[in-house]
Amino acid sequence: MEALGIDVLFKGSNFMRLLGGLWVTVELSLISVAISMVLGVLFGIIMTSKNKAVKIISRIYLEVVRIMPQMVLLFIVFFGATRAFDLNFSAETACVIVFAFWGTAEMGDLVRGAVTAIPKHQYESSYALGLTKSQTYYYIVIPQTLRRLIPLSINLVTRMMKTTSLIMMIGVVEVMKVGQQIIEANRMTSPNAAFGVYATIFLFYFIACWPISLLASKLEKKWSD
Amino acid sequence: MAGQLLKETLLKIDHLRKAYGDTVVLKDISLTVHKGEVIVVIGPSGCGKSTLLRCINGLEPIQGGSITLQDKPIDGQSKDIAQIRQKLGMVFQNYELFPHKTVLQNIMLAPLKVQKRDKEEVRQMAEQWLERVGLLDKKDSYPRQLSGGQKQRVAIVRALCMEPEIMLFDEVTAALDPEMVREVLDVILALAKAGRTMVIVTHEMSFARAVADRVLFLDGGEIVEEALPEVFFDHPSTDRAKKFLSTFTYDAVRHHDVPQNY
């Protein structure tokens, strides 16, 4: 046990602190995910617009988000924007802003893909059966869109969750940061703490993300067509 | 044909003109379809035959003329189009079943949600039709579990269960493997025998000949020839029709000398 550095976890309130850090991670991820889902659906519908200007602007937004590393975005918002525009917000707020900015773009692209993937003929064969426009959306288009969308968006959720480990770089004390603090504090007494702590964090992430991605692949299999 | 004078006119197309921008697809089409009649539309690809069917179903806006079904105008933009479309059963080239619904759900959706019919009655009707086309055992399958020919038969049943006045078939065997063409065409032949009114676009010439009351030959967006199938296929009167029909026969390129004592 000592060689693996797991004993550190049972000293004092270390384990509880680590769990607290996990909660910060999960909480910030969930808030960002919730915002991204709502805005992403809206953005995705906007992206299906045929208007050229709308298309170009949303394309630029999406590409910027994709090309920029999330860490750079975090630094720009937290260190850059606060200085340049004299805004004062906490690291947590900056984190939510960046992740929602990122998630909205990615979610929007998923929604756009799912909506445009429904072939024109599906609408036509529904109209040909006498269904009205709203019935066609309700019975044909939306169910098929959701089936395509849900597994993809769940994958996005786990990606966002994992990427929140970056926010310790702007000083948010989430699970990784707590882990580091524990390792630092016990450097003298348990020099092997790193392995035990990081392995536990690995397990935490696994427990948080695995059920979600399991659900995704289950749904994907169930709805594959 | 004399008897047809007494028959009710179902569909009337009057000087229909359809264009995409400057490209005119249908120039000046006039056609009357009586109850119980089977019209087969043939012609080279791009002649506008599929577009004609799509116009009849109000899926394409038209630029001139009129289409009426039982004296009611067909206009894709109007509010009653859903009402009129119930009387037009359309079957598409690529089946277009709804992938997230089973065979039975595909068939029952529109009768239940559009016509608000009784669920048990619709189910019985659907199952009877499925049995007739030999697919009753597939009623709970999903479209992805069916072959092309099976999907197309389900699509035909789906249209029939709306109890339409006219069935429209848009090259329904064009996407099928050759060995599946027959099973679909047999269903359509049976419908013709039962006296159903149909407008059929097809590339299957021997089928066209067998099923048609009248053949319409479309080329360059206009009706070039309109005749009884026997007359059209054996003695086409226009050069364009002759040229088109000749594309279905081949001249031998190798001339074998058959041995004397073969």
Side-chain angles (χ1 to χ4, degrees):
Chain A
M1 285 294 263
E2 215 156 291
L4 293 175
I6 292 172
D7 56 312
V8 177
L9 293 169
F10 303 106
K11 282 184 189 161
S13 59
N14 281 352
F15 191 74
M16 289 318 285
R17 281 183 61 205
L18 213 50
L19 271 182
L22 178 68
W23 176 240
V24 173
T25 296
V26 171
E27 196 184 17
L28 287 177
S29 314
L30 289 184
I31 294 172
S32 316
V33 162
I35 297 173
S36 306
M37 294 285 146
V38 175
L39 295 182
V41 169
L42 289 177
F43 179 54
I45 292 168
I46 291 170
M47 278 178 94
T48 60
S49 154
K50 290 190 175 72
N51 184 315
K52 259 228 161 89
V54 172
K55 264 185 167 167
I56 292 172
I57 291 169
S58 48
R59 198 75 222 167
I60 291 173
Y61 167 39
L62 182 64
E63 291 304 326
V64 165
V65 172
R66 288 219 169 132
I67 290 167
M68 241 219 293
Q70 277 86 32
M71 184 121 79
V72 177
L73 276 175
L74 276 173
F75 282 9
I76 287 178
V77 172
F78 186 62
F79 299 118
T82 38
R83 277 286 168 130
F85 306 108
D86 204 20
L87 296 165
N88 193 12
F89 37 63
S90 65
E92 284 82 359
T93 313
C95 157
V96 169
I97 290 172
V98 167
F99 280 85
F101 182 74
W102 171 47
T104 300
E106 294 278 353
M107 185 66 191
D109 199 39
L110 295 180
V111 171
R112 182 200 56 78
V115 171
T116 50
I118 310 288
K120 191 170 145 242
H121 268 110
Q122 284 281 311
Y123 293 84
E124 290 185 343
S125 79
S126 172
Y127 294 150
L129 284 166
L131 275 79
T132 60
K133 242 187 178 142
S134 51
Q135 282 177 322
T136 299
Y137 272 92
Y138 186 74
Y139 293 111
I140 310 301
V141 178
I142 292 173
Q144 288 188 54
T145 309
L146 284 183
R147 266 153 223 253
R148 282 164 208 258
L149 197 57
I150 288 174
L152 296 174
S153 48
I154 290 177
N155 286 335
L156 178 62
V157 172
T158 55
R159 268 171 63 208
M160 285 177 77
M161 224 174 210
K162 286 185 291 187
T163 317
T164 50
S165 57
L166 292 177
I167 59 180
M168 69 173 197
M169 302 301 291
I170 57 169
V172 180
V173 187
E174 46 69 77
V175 67
M176 282 294 281
K177 191 72 197 174
V178 175
Q180 278 186 351
Q181 287 170 348
I182 293 172
I183 295 164
E184 287 291 306
N186 296 282
R187 205 173 55 226
M188 294 305 170
T189 50
S190 325
N192 292 331
F195 181 81
V197 170
Y198 287 136
T200 311
I201 292 174
F202 162 78
L203 258 174
F204 281 176
Y205 271 110
F206 184 78
I207 291 168
C209 293
W210 191 55
I212 301 178
S213 58
L214 208 63
L215 181 69
S217 60
K218 213 172 166 179
L219 288 177
E220 214 163 347
K221 214 172 265 167
K222 191 176 157 205
W223 287 339
S224 68
D225 35 52
Chain B
M1 287 289 107
Q4 238 155 47
L5 294 173
L6 304 171
K7 281 189 178 166
E8 180 193 347
T9 299
L10 278 184
L11 182 73
K12 196 163 165 57
I13 301 174
D14 217 21
H15 301 290
L16 165 64
R17 186 172 169 280
K18 163 78 201 170
Y20 295 104
D22 291 334
T23 323
V24 180
V25 187
L26 296 171
K27 277 178 192 152
D28 180 22
I29 305 277
S30 292
L31 170 72
T32 306
V33 182
H34 303 100
K35 200 174 171 75
E37 226 182 348
V38 178
I39 311 281
V40 171
V41 185
I42 60 177
S45 5
C47 72
K49 44 193 198 308
S50 287
T51 309
L52 175 62
L53 280 197
R54 294 169 56 80
C55 289
I56 295 176
N57 210 352
L59 291 173
E60 297 281 348
I62 59 176
Q63 279 69 46
S66 69
I67 309 173
T68 54
L69 179 74
Q70 292 171 321
D71 299 327
K72 287 195 199 81
I74 297 175
D75 168 15
Q77 308 307 312
S78 87
K79 270 191 177 158
D80 345 309
I81 186 67
Q83 193 67 32
I84 295 170
R85 277 184 182 137
Q86 295 175 35
K87 301 184 176 180
L88 295 159
M90 179 118 174
V91 185
F92 296 87
Q93 180 177 337
N94 291 312
Y95 343 117
E96 296 306 331
L97 298 178
F98 306 128
H100 60 299
K101 293 186 176 294
T102 65
V103 166
L104 212 51
Q105 287 168 342
N106 260 282
I107 298 171
M108 291 172 65
L109 175 70
L112 293 184
K113 302 300 174 193
V114 178
Q115 297 178 323
K116 317 266 183 226
R117 280 153 60 188
D118 176 61
K119 195 170 179 184
E120 260 324 292
E121 178 249 332
V122 177
R123 178 194 299 277
Q124 274 180 14
M125 183 175 197
E127 288 181 353
Q128 271 172 16
W129 273 114
L130 282 175
E131 184 157 24
R132 261 189 257 181
V133 302
L135 290 173
L136 188 55
D137 56 326
K138 301 282 184 201
K139 66 177 180 178
D140 295 317
S141 304
Y142 281 91
R144 63 174 179 274
Q145 297 165 316
L146 305 179
S147 72
Q150 290 171 332
K151 279 186 223 178
Q152 196 56 290
R153 281 181 280 160
V154 171
I156 292 173
V157 169
R158 183 173 72 175
L160 284 169
C161 281
M162 291 295 284
E163 302 181 309
E165 296 285 344
I166 302 186
M167 288 288 284
L168 307 172
F169 291 94
D170 186 10
E171 298 190 36
V172 293
T173 58
L176 296 178
D177 290 336
E179 71 271 22
M180 287 171 187
V181 169
R182 182 80 203 206
E183 63 189 48
V184 173
L185 294 185
D186 279 341
V187 172
I188 303 176
L189 279 169
L191 291 176
K193 218 181 265 178
R196 210 164 262 278
T197 317
M198 302 193 273
V199 181
I200 302 170
V201 169
T202 186
H203 280 298
E204 301 287 330
M205 291 305 141
S206 50
F207 166 71
R209 189 184 179 125
V211 81
D213 289 317
R214 255 191 298 162
V215 173
L216 240 58
F217 176 62
L218 232 65
D219 192 10
E222 53 195 358
I223 299 177
V224 178
E225 228 174 301
E226 184 178 347
L228 293 174
E230 298 79 19
V231 177
F232 176 77
F233 285 107
D234 295 338
H235 310 287
S237 56
T238 59
D239 285 340
R240 282 203 264 180
K242 279 177 200 162
K243 193 166 162 253
F244 174 71
L245 287 173
S246 73
T247 60
F248 292 91
T249 54
Y250 296 90
D251 290 324
V253 287
R254 296 175 186 226
H255 297 280
H256 303 281
D257 290 322
V258 180
Q260 289 289 306
N261 50 359
Y262 187 64

